Amino acid sequence: MAEQAADTDAHLWREETRSLLTGLNLVVLVAAVAGGTWGVFDSMTDADGDRFAGNLVVAAPGIYAGWCMLEIAWKKLASIATVLLRLVSACFFAPAFVAVPVGLIQLIAVAFPGVGAAIAEAESRNSGFHYYWNEGIASQLFLVPFGGYVVGMCIPLGIALIIVLPIISIRAPHIAAQGSHLEKVEVGKRMSTTAFVFVGLGATTLGIVLWVFGDGGSILEFPEDLGRFLRSMSYGYFDWEDAMWLLGVVFVVAGVAVMGWGCVRVLFARTRAARG
């Protein structure tokens, strides 16, 4: 029995790994590796670090891993286990499929003397500073693949919370609610309750991201910052970081309220179920 279960699990992982490397996923993988490779070579002469391509060195694994997670949002699902399996593979396996090849290409490239000379020349033209390679070639060979892998692990999780689960909760609420206390909610309210919980969670997560990367303080400063933002707009301009923060606060407040209402419904359903 245990051997049969082990064989089934191994088969699931083989199929999951194969799905990451076939069809449109393979196209995105090749494009991500190409983009990361372009970023590696562009970074060598970009001593100031102000060109876009250099970002692809670290972003490419996340782009591919994020796509793999996003793909599950519109696929036909048999159970929530399919989503969880893809979440694990997208977070841990998919980034490596890009980070490792890009790291190997970088390792091979810097073995050529001309590449090292190009990096040194760009550094000398920039007063001895090189944004990407200032820590030395050995450090860069470690930091680029590792940094890309770590970023690639985080992006699928964010996409799952912000996009995939909310979409599934609307498109297939019976799948999103599977195995949770949401199944205790009466049938007439189960679909909307599932959407409330996961859409609220997605909005809250997106709001936190915007809040962190925006330019603002605590939620108590919202009225003051909103006033400053509106005054700026009256003069025909505004700061994108202010806009991100304000939008983040709105998403957090709205998301918590929506998710909270869904959780209240679940608590009422659990109480009724416990009373028999």
Side-chain angles (χ1 to χ4, degrees):
M1 193 72 176
E3 292 181 0
Q4 185 177 1
D7 289 341
T8 301
D9 291 342
H11 175 73
L12 285 174
W13 283 113
R14 283 196 299 270
E15 288 300 313
E16 176 63 17
T17 304
R18 187 179 294 112
S19 70
L20 295 178
L21 301 173
T22 56
L24 188 55
N25 289 344
L26 178 60
V27 175
V28 178
L29 172 60
V30 172
V33 172
T37 302
W38 175 28
V40 165
F41 285 98
D42 186 79
S43 71
M44 294 173 181
T45 56
D46 183 16
D48 282 326
D50 55 3
R51 294 201 296 258
F52 170 77
N55 298 316
L56 294 174
V57 178
V58 175
I63 292 172
Y64 170 65
W67 163 260
C68 290
M69 189 68 242
L70 183 63
E71 181 207 22
I72 209 73
W74 56 78
K75 291 187 82 172
K76 187 175 180 180
L77 304 173
S79 69
I80 192 65
T82 305
V83 181
L84 298 178
L85 185 66
R86 175 54 59 90
L87 179 61
V88 172
S89 66
C91 287
F92 292 98
F93 300 157
F97 291 155
V98 179
V100 172
V102 171
L104 289 175
I105 291 171
Q106 184 177 246
L107 176 63
I108 294 170
V110 298
F112 291 91
V115 171
I119 295 172
E121 182 183 351
E123 183 176 331
S124 65
R125 290 198 308 266
N126 198 43
S127 303
F129 176 77
H130 197 301
Y131 181 81
Y132 293 100
W133 297 81
N134 201 58
E135 298 298 324
I137 290 178
S139 296
Q140 186 72 352
L141 288 174
F142 169 76
L143 292 174
V144 167
F146 180 73
Y149 181 74
V150 171
V151 171
M153 292 176 68
C154 297
I155 289 179
L157 178 59
I159 288 178
L161 294 174
I162 296 171
I163 302 176
V164 175
L165 288 176
I167 289 177
I168 293 174
S169 71
I170 296 172
R171 183 175 68 85
H174 62 287
I175 296 294
Q178 199 172 64
S180 71
H181 290 297
L182 286 163
E183 292 185 317
K184 296 178 180 178
V185 179
E186 55 266 36
V187 177
K189 295 182 179 179
R190 189 179 302 163
M191 292 177 62
S192 60
T193 301
T194 303
F196 282 147
V197 171
F198 287 105
V199 171
L201 176 62
T204 302
T205 305
L206 176 60
I208 291 172
V209 172
L210 293 173
W211 194 331
V212 169
F213 288 97
D215 184 17
S218 70
I219 196 169
L220 297 177
E221 299 174 36
F222 181 80
E224 179 183 346
D225 286 342
L226 177 60
R228 186 179 70 246
F229 179 74
L230 293 176
R231 285 194 299 273
S232 298
M233 288 193 65
S234 68
Y235 292 109
Y237 72 95
F238 65 88
D239 191 326
W240 279 105
E241 291 184 345
D242 279 340
M244 286 175 60
W245 179 77
L246 293 169
L247 193 60
V249 173
V250 171
F251 271 114
V252 168
V253 172
V256 169
V258 171
M259 181 171 54
W261 176 239
C263 291
V264 167
R265 282 187 171 184
V266 174
L267 289 174
F268 284 153
R270 286 183 62 188
T271 302
R272 285 193 296 269
R275 290 175 180 173

